[in-house]
Amino acid sequence: MTDASLSQPRSTNPFAGLMSGTVGPVTVVVLAIIALWYISAVALNTKFQQDIYARAGQSDVGFSQLVTDTLFQERPVLPAPHQVLVEIWDTTVNKKITSKRSLVYHTGITLSSTLLGFLIGTTLGILLAIGIVHSRVLDKSLMPWVISSQTIPILAIAPMIIVVLNAVGISGLLPKAMISTYLSFFPVTVGMVKGLRSPEVIHMDLMHTYSATRIQAFWKLRLPYAVPYLFTSMKIGMAASLVGAIVGELPTGAVAGLGARLLAGSYYGQTVQIWSALLMAAFLAGSLVALIGVIEKRTLKRMGMAG
């Protein structure tokens, strides 16, 4: 270490270290979103609040009172963040988990179809990727259909899946899981195809010099290379699976699940209920993706691919 570097004063700014990581910037963005949310809530709810004042014959309402009233409406156009948090607290802490008014109960219903669809979709995606990589015929014929399948809007195909499966006597959890499977298998298939083809040519040639079979090359070379791609694809697939589970609850007229909460809220104009279900879905998706991230770090560490 040189004398010049020793003579340089160290930064005494307590926020320098915080903003250099991820906590500081994320906090700033979250606070900006909350501020924008409050401003939007006041702007969107003002017209309805003014109509309330007009019907009540109140014409001398101050700006501060107007802002306060717009943030505490019973059925606002856009609920304020504190209204949504109060609704989440009331439907999670103050309600029994077994109660049909509990958001935890509805989250569990959606979680079950999400995990089942994700499991089926991941398995299907891995099998399709293995076939595509090892078969030129499947690569040329099946891969275009895999890509084309995602051009169909899920809102259009979900009712057809539900009706067809109900017609053959399949109802309940599996139809919703099939919609989650439809969305989650695609990123896993594409990611695994990329991962299984990621070994360098020189490494593949080395396996040939060892007279390794396709199975040996797969387990000892292709699969280890594909593991990071698999976890990245699984994160995307998990989020897509949750979306599929929620969408799958809409055409069935389900009475339980986050999709059912969204549907009931739209029927009766309960925007606070809609937003609380949306935030719970976002929290659930983030938790599931974070769980996959933890498993990924531990797996890669055991494989010697991460510190």
Side-chain angles (χ1 to χ4, degrees):
M1 184 177 295
T2 63
D3 295 337
S5 62
L6 291 174
S7 62
Q8 291 180 353
R10 294 184 179 181
S11 176
T12 58
N13 186 358
F15 298 101
L18 181 64
M19 297 304 294
S20 63
T22 58
V23 177
V26 170
T27 303
V28 171
V29 172
V30 170
L31 293 177
I33 292 175
I34 293 176
L36 180 61
W37 190 346
Y38 270 108
I39 295 173
S40 302
V42 173
L44 293 176
N45 297 333
T46 296
K47 181 64 171 63
F48 182 67
Q49 191 62 42
Q50 289 175 342
D51 293 340
I52 295 177
Y53 292 151
R55 289 193 296 268
Q58 299 176 351
S59 58
D60 56 346
V61 179
F63 178 74
S64 60
Q65 183 63 38
L66 174 63
V67 171
T68 302
D69 291 339
T70 55
L71 296 179
F72 288 91
Q73 290 180 359
E74 183 178 354
R75 292 187 178 182
V77 177
L78 176 62
H82 65 271
Q83 291 179 295
V84 178
L85 292 179
V86 169
E87 174 69 14
I88 293 176
W89 178 268
D90 182 59
T91 54
T92 55
V93 179
N94 297 334
K95 296 289 188 301
K96 293 183 178 179
I97 297 179
T98 56
S99 172
K100 292 186 177 181
R101 299 187 61 185
S102 171
L103 201 56
V104 178
Y105 169 77
H106 292 283
T107 302
I109 298 297
T110 303
L111 178 62
S112 60
S113 56
T114 298
L115 294 179
L116 179 58
F118 174 74
L119 178 62
I120 299 174
T122 300
T123 304
L124 177 62
I126 293 175
L127 294 178
L128 288 176
I130 294 174
I132 290 172
V133 168
H134 289 88
S135 174
R136 185 174 179 83
V137 175
L138 291 180
D139 184 19
K140 297 298 182 180
S141 60
L142 186 59
M143 194 62 180
W145 284 103
V146 171
I147 297 174
S148 300
S149 67
Q150 302 303 303
T151 62
I152 304 174
I154 188 60
L155 288 175
I157 197 173
M160 293 186 290
I161 296 176
I162 298 296
V163 170
V164 170
L165 291 180
N166 284 336
V168 297
I170 301 176
S171 60
L173 180 63
L174 190 57
K176 294 185 294 182
M178 287 296 100
I179 299 174
S180 297
T181 300
Y182 178 80
L183 291 181
S184 62
F185 91 96
F186 174 75
V188 176
T189 301
V190 175
M192 280 298 290
V193 168
K194 179 68 175 178
L196 293 174
R197 288 175 173 171
S198 61
E200 299 180 11
V201 177
I202 188 173
H203 294 156
M204 294 298 299
D205 291 341
L206 182 61
M207 296 298 293
H208 288 307
T209 60
Y210 292 156
S211 299
T213 63
R214 280 193 172 189
I215 296 178
Q216 291 173 330
F218 172 79
W219 287 107
K220 298 182 181 297
L221 182 62
R222 290 188 184 272
L223 186 60
Y225 264 88
V227 169
Y229 294 86
L230 174 61
F231 280 107
T232 302
S233 303
M234 288 171 62
K235 293 176 183 178
I236 302 174
M238 179 62 80
S241 180
L242 177 61
V243 173
I246 294 175
V247 172
E249 293 169 351
L250 301 180
T252 60
V255 296
L258 294 178
R261 293 282 291 182
L262 294 173
L263 196 61
S266 64
Y267 280 159
Y268 302 106
Q270 297 289 344
T271 53
V272 179
Q273 177 178 314
I274 294 175
W275 279 83
S276 64
L278 288 174
L279 287 186
M280 181 58 75
F283 174 77
L284 178 61
S287 301
L288 293 173
V289 171
L291 178 60
I292 295 177
V294 172
I295 298 175
E296 175 186 14
K297 289 182 179 180
R298 293 186 177 182
T299 302
L300 295 182
K301 185 176 181 179
R302 289 181 62 90
M303 295 176 63
M305 302 175 66

